[in-house]
Amino acid sequence: MTTLHFPFSVDLAPSRRYCLAMARFPLDKKIKRFAARFNEAGHSLYVVGGAVRDHLLGIPIEDYDFTTDARPEEVVSLFRRVIPTGIEHGTVSVHWEGELYEVTTFRSDGAYLDSRHPSHVDFITSLEEDLKRRDFTINAFAVDCTSGQIIDLNGGYEDLKARQIRAIGNPEQRFDEDGLRILRAARIAAKIDFVIEARTLEAMRAKRDNLLPVSAERIREELFKLVGSDHPRTGLEYLRESGVLSIILPELMEGDGIEQGGMHRETVLEHAISCCEASVHFTDKPEVRFAALLHDIGKSRTVQQGEGRFTFIGHETVGREMARAIMLRLKASGEQTALVEDLVAHHMFFYESSWTDSAVRRFIKRVTLPRLADLFALRLADHAAIHGSIDGTLLVELKARIEAIVAEGDALTVKDLAIGGNELMALGIPKGPLIGAVLEYLLETVLDDPSQNTSARLTTISERYFSLIKTS
Ligand code: ATP
Ligand code: MG
């Protein structure tokens, strides 16, 4: 949704590699005061990473990463409020004037043997060496926090101009050191809509198995950033093209080549990617965008072909299980898992104006109120991906009906009933699963006819229901 613009007008000669006189980095007063603390102790401080890259691209800076020649213990001693985030790898977070800054000591890394952290890191005093251990040329700019000068020792500027992502040094070797960089290449491409330079892309393909031992948490973090970015299709197409998708989301690849017929022009896999891309217009939540990617994942396992048509009966139920397994594999939180699962499970609703109010209430009960906005976002994305445009008339109508029902205060969950478990026990219904069953029965009644939701009516209905159960 962000429009990228590229603010360079001057063409710089490729031979000028050091300290290019590019637009100066805007260092605000906070950062200058932060840097002064380092300088007073005889140390230097640089902004590195995405902040410099994004500034040069003219897009908003999300967070600042700093690098310094001060050793981590020294950084800790310079400030009052520090969190030793990854102190053994040189990273500490510093609370400074209301911001949280991540500061990492210049370092050179060993291979990432445990696939999460480098086997060892050496703290060094050379900025040049520190920038070389970074993943891509466009991620290896540094800004001197005293002068604001942008330093480019790895040809990042040339690659920014060419709008490409290129590994620093030998890409295969860099992907051997840390397999996560393979996924990061696609995620950064998705963020800024860049191409991945041919040799780097080739190495992604050749070294894709290096992602296998990478921890689920690191993969999930990059994958969610990818779908949460402005151009998920760019990143997802690179993952597919490089074979990485088969490694991190093999279930999605099952949809490759599966035709759908009917109104669909795309295969199951193509539609998944298109839906995720379209979701950018309807939601910023990475989980909902991920659900958009997974919503039809059950189709590959339910497809049947008969008389020239394809059917995918029950794909939302099979899909829910598959989505759950994926979220568990990615070690996503319980909340994230439940959200993705529910969206996949409920994506097949077909509202028509002829639905009765009870039908609308049942729909709300099934999906639950907090999930509705996300489910609508998924539906709009699904529709946009299929038709290239959206006709939201029916959804707008459904939304208005839901709002009216909510405004009426109609009971939509067991909690909204005029009587609860205690009252049922007072009627002699024994504590245990029977209470739950009676409450469910009462809710069904009230969903059909909200006027029944009074203490007197529900007491009568419960007594009748209980006596029936006792005698049957
Ligand atoms: P974003 O703006 O999305 O945060 P970023 O490039 O700042 O993007 P971070 O994950 O914050 O990404 O990493 C900060 C910097 O640290 C990167 O720009 C890069 O220089 C370096 N870096 C991060 N992860 C790796 C890695 N696995 N290997 C090498 N360098 C890395
Ligand atoms: Mg960053």
Side-chain angles (χ1 to χ4, degrees):
M1 282 188 287
T2 318
T3 345
L4 289 181
H5 66 278
F6 205 71
F8 301 126
S9 46
V10 222
D11 209 4
L12 288 152
S15 57
R16 289 181 58 192
R17 285 168 60 84
Y18 277 73
C19 301
L20 294 174
M22 288 179 270
R24 292 210 165 218
F25 190 87
L27 289 169
D28 63 25
K29 295 237 166 65
K30 264 185 207 175
I31 296 183
K32 287 208 159 156
R33 286 192 288 267
F34 187 55
R37 192 61 79 85
F38 284 83
N39 298 157
E40 283 154 18
H43 295 295
S44 52
L45 184 73
Y46 299 86
V47 177
V48 279
V52 193
R53 177 196 70 215
D54 292 348
H55 159 67
L56 291 170
L57 286 170
I59 60 177
I61 294 174
E62 282 166 32
D63 61 11
Y64 288 92
D65 302 298
F66 293 90
T67 186
T68 179
D69 59 346
R71 295 179 64 91
E73 321 79 75
E74 293 179 80
V75 180
V76 171
S77 73
L78 285 178
F79 297 94
R80 250 181 344 115
R81 294 178 62 212
V82 287
I83 309 166
T85 328
I87 197 157
E88 66 281 25
H89 304 103
T91 305
V92 295
S93 301
V94 183
H95 282 284
W96 181 259
E97 300 185 18
E99 309 282 340
L100 189 65
Y101 290 147
E102 227 172 61
V103 184
T104 305
T105 303
F106 294 166
R107 64 182 216 206
S108 67
D109 299 349
Y112 284 57
L113 289 182
D114 71 348
S115 71
R116 189 156 171 76
H117 295 300
S119 55
H120 66 278
V121 303
D122 292 321
F123 298 131
I124 53 175
T125 52
S126 150
L127 172 68
E128 186 169 351
E129 286 304 309
D130 179 88
L131 294 180
K132 260 198 242 159
R133 63 109 184 150
R134 292 174 183 274
D135 45 10
F136 306 108
T137 64
I138 58 165
N139 281 353
F141 293 101
V143 172
D144 182 326
C145 289
T146 323
S147 65
Q149 190 166 43
I150 298 178
I151 301 165
D152 172 25
L153 307 180
N154 293 285
Y157 184 49
E158 289 307 311
D159 286 327
L160 266 191
K161 275 204 298 178
R163 300 183 65 83
Q164 69 180 3
I165 294 166
R166 185 162 57 90
I168 295 174
N170 177 329
E172 304 205 342
Q173 204 178 320
R174 304 315 308 283
F175 295 156
D176 277 340
E177 289 161 5
D178 179 11
L180 187 73
R181 291 173 186 156
I182 295 168
L183 180 52
R184 282 178 57 86
R187 173 301 250 182
I188 293 162
K191 174 170 174 167
I192 55 184
D193 203 22
F194 269 31
V195 298
I196 298 177
E197 174 270 333
R199 239 189 101 204
T200 303
L201 182 59
E202 231 170 81
M204 283 169 69
R205 168 171 278 288
K207 296 294 181 181
R208 61 189 188 278
D209 284 352
N210 288 353
L211 270 158
L212 287 169
V214 175
S215 75
E217 291 86 348
R218 291 180 89 208
I219 290 184
R220 185 194 63 236
E221 202 177 311
E222 296 293 338
L223 196 55
F224 276 33
K225 280 190 179 175
L226 188 158
V227 296
S229 72
D230 281 353
H231 309 277
R233 183 192 293 284
T234 303
L236 292 167
E237 292 292 0
Y238 275 127
L239 293 184
R240 166 157 84 155
E241 201 179 325
S242 58
V244 170
L245 205 55
S246 308
I247 290 173
I248 58 175
L249 288 174
E251 299 89 342
L252 207 55
M253 282 305 293
E254 291 175 19
D256 192 15
I258 297 189
E259 298 293 337
Q260 309 191 68
M263 62 198 171
H264 283 274
R265 292 162 290 123
E266 296 185 310
T267 64
V268 172
L269 175 61
E270 286 163 351
H271 173 63
I273 294 176
S274 293
C275 187
C276 184
E277 174 75 6
S279 71
V280 171
H281 300 285
F282 307 108
T283 179
D284 286 333
K285 289 190 196 170
E287 296 84 1
V288 180
R289 296 205 191 164
F290 196 59
L293 184 67
L294 300 189
H295 76 285
D296 274 345
I297 199 140
K299 280 193 167 176
S300 58
R301 298 191 188 171
T302 50
V303 60
Q304 288 194 16
Q305 192 177 0
E307 295 159 23
R309 7 192 327 268
F310 300 92
T311 60
F312 306 93
I313 296 161
H315 75 271
E316 67 277 29
T317 314
V318 172
R320 163 186 229 150
E321 287 311 311
M322 292 170 77
R324 179 178 168 73
I326 291 169
M327 294 300 276
L328 290 177
R329 190 172 72 223
L330 291 172
K331 297 206 166 75
S333 72
E335 212 172 301
Q336 289 176 318
T337 306
L339 174 55
V340 172
E341 239 188 274
D342 287 354
L343 293 177
V344 173
H346 295 305
H347 81 270
M348 292 290 284
F349 67 93
F350 296 102
Y351 172 74
E352 287 173 14
S353 303
S354 59
W355 277 21
T356 59
D357 281 350
S358 324
V360 177
R361 282 189 290 268
R362 280 176 202 289
F363 171 72
I364 305 173
K365 182 208 166 207
R366 202 165 54 242
V367 177
T368 75
L369 270 178
R371 292 276 192 261
L372 285 168
D374 293 335
L375 187 65
F376 277 33
L378 170 56
R379 166 54 57 87
L380 288 167
D382 195 3
H383 204 272
I386 297 170
H387 303 286
S389 63
I390 51 156
D391 174 4
T393 327
L394 279 176
L395 273 192
V396 170
E397 183 182 298
L398 176 57
K399 182 166 175 275
R401 291 184 67 184
I402 290 170
E403 282 165 353
I405 285 170
V406 173
E408 280 295 311
D410 289 354
L412 297 166
T413 71
V414 165
K415 285 201 193 84
D416 306 326
L417 293 172
I419 63 173
N422 288 337
E423 286 86 347
L424 295 184
M425 282 187 272
L427 296 176
I429 303 178
K431 201 173 171 178
L434 195 52
I435 297 274
V438 178
L439 288 172
E440 266 310 306
Y441 178 76
L442 295 178
L443 181 59
E444 286 301 313
T445 311
V446 168
L447 287 170
D448 273 337
D449 177 3
S451 74
Q452 302 290 315
N453 196 15
T454 64
S455 172
R457 281 301 304 144
L458 295 188
T459 304
T460 313
I461 296 167
S462 304
E463 280 168 336
R464 206 180 300 147
Y465 184 74
F466 182 49
S467 63
L468 266 174
I469 284 191
K470 265 198 309 195
T471 51
S472 63

